[in-house]
Amino acid sequence: MNNSVTNTARLLWAGLRALLVLTVITGVLYPLAITGVAQGIFPGKANGSEIKADGRVVGSSLIGQSYNLPLEKGRQTPAPDLKWFQGRPQNGLGTNSVNTRYKLILSGATNRSGDNKDLIDWVTAAKKAVIHDNSVNGYTVRPSDVPADAVTSSGSGLDPDISPTYADIQVHRIAEKNGLSVAQVRKLVDDHAEGRTLGFIGEPRVNVLELNIALKDLVAKS
C-alpha cells in the first residue's frame, strides 16, 4: 500500500514538473523569443502593419476601410462619400451581403457561381453605380473601363487595395469633388501604385487608405 502511494506521488510530481517546465518553455520563453525576433527584423509587420496620420494610428495596410457618408434613415447600407477614393465592394454587393462595413468579425467569402442571378444583378448594379459616380463634366466612364475589382469583393471582403485601373477611373471625380486638378490627383495615384511583389506575385495595386491620407494632405495644402 505504501509503495503504491509513493509511486503515485512520484508520478504526479514528475508530471507536475514536466508541466511547469513545458509551460515556461512553450508559454513564456518561446513566445518572447519569437516576439523579439519579429520586433527586431520587421517591427512594422509584427505590430499589425499600422498606418499613421497626424501622429496617430488610423488603420492597417492589410485591412480595408469604408469611406461612407453617415447612414441615412431608411437605408440599409450607407452611401459612399465620393470625395474619397473608394475601395472594393465589401463581401457581396446586395442588401444581403455578409460584410457591408468592413467589420472584421464578419470576414469571409460569399462565393457564387458565374451564372447566379443574384451575382449577375449585383455586378450589373455595381457597374452602373461606378459609371454614374465617376462620370463628371468632361469625362465619362464607359462600361468597358470598369475593372473587375470595382464590382466584386475579395475572398475576405477586407481587401485594402484596388487596381491602378480602378483608381484611375476615380481620378476625375476626386479632382472635381476636392477642387484639385486632374494632374494632381493622377500623380497621387501614380506615386502610390505598387507593382507585383518580387516582380511576379500578385497584381499591381494601390492601397486605398494610404492614397486617401495623401489626398487629405494635398487638399489641406491647396
Side-chain angles (χ1 to χ4, degrees):
M1 183 68 177
N2 290 336
N3 288 337
S4 177
V5 172
T6 300
N7 289 337
T8 300
R10 185 163 52 248
L11 289 174
L12 288 175
W13 175 235
L16 179 60
R17 283 183 295 174
L19 175 62
L20 292 174
V21 170
L22 290 174
T23 298
V24 171
I25 292 174
T26 63
V28 179
L29 298 180
Y30 178 75
L32 286 176
I34 293 300
T35 300
V37 170
Q39 291 290 342
I41 297 177
F42 34 77
K45 292 182 178 180
N47 292 324
S49 300
E50 297 172 339
I51 294 179
K52 294 183 178 181
D54 300 325
R56 64 187 181 90
V57 176
V58 295
S60 167
S61 63
L62 304 177
I63 303 295
Q65 297 187 20
S66 57
Y67 303 91
N68 297 326
L69 295 168
L71 186 63
E72 298 176 357
K73 186 177 181 180
R75 288 184 60 98
Q76 291 182 304
T77 56
D81 188 344
L82 298 179
K83 71 181 181 181
W84 302 110
F85 283 95
Q86 296 295 314
R88 296 185 67 169
Q90 300 121 334
N91 234 345
L93 303 169
T95 57
N96 296 320
S97 64
V98 173
N99 188 353
T100 59
R101 302 181 193 175
Y102 284 111
K103 293 180 179 178
L104 304 189
I105 196 171
L106 296 178
S107 172
T110 54
N111 296 334
R112 300 178 191 274
S113 63
D115 60 354
N116 180 273
K117 185 179 184 302
D118 287 340
L119 177 63
I120 294 172
D121 290 344
W122 293 346
V123 169
T124 301
K127 180 173 282 192
K128 288 181 179 178
V130 170
I131 293 171
H132 176 270
D133 291 344
N134 294 286
S135 294
V136 298
N137 292 330
Y139 177 76
T140 301
V141 178
R142 299 169 298 179
S144 59
D145 295 333
V146 181
D149 63 301
V151 296
T152 58
S153 62
S154 62
S156 68
L158 301 173
D159 195 341
D161 304 320
I162 58 176
S163 65
T165 301
Y166 186 25
D168 285 340
I169 66 174
Q170 300 185 59
V171 164
H172 288 78
R173 166 181 47 89
I174 295 295
E176 183 179 273
K177 294 288 185 180
N178 291 282
L180 301 170
S181 70
V182 170
Q184 285 177 299
V185 181
R186 178 159 286 126
K187 185 177 186 302
L188 277 185
V189 172
D190 292 341
D191 289 345
H192 288 81
E194 299 179 42
R196 292 179 172 86
T197 303
L198 300 178
F200 67 95
I201 300 175
E203 296 293 331
R205 60 200 180 277
V206 181
N207 186 281
V208 182
L209 176 56
E210 293 177 348
L211 184 58
N212 278 330
I213 291 173
L215 173 62
K216 179 182 177 182
D217 291 341
L218 179 60
V219 170
K221 295 175 182 177
S222 300

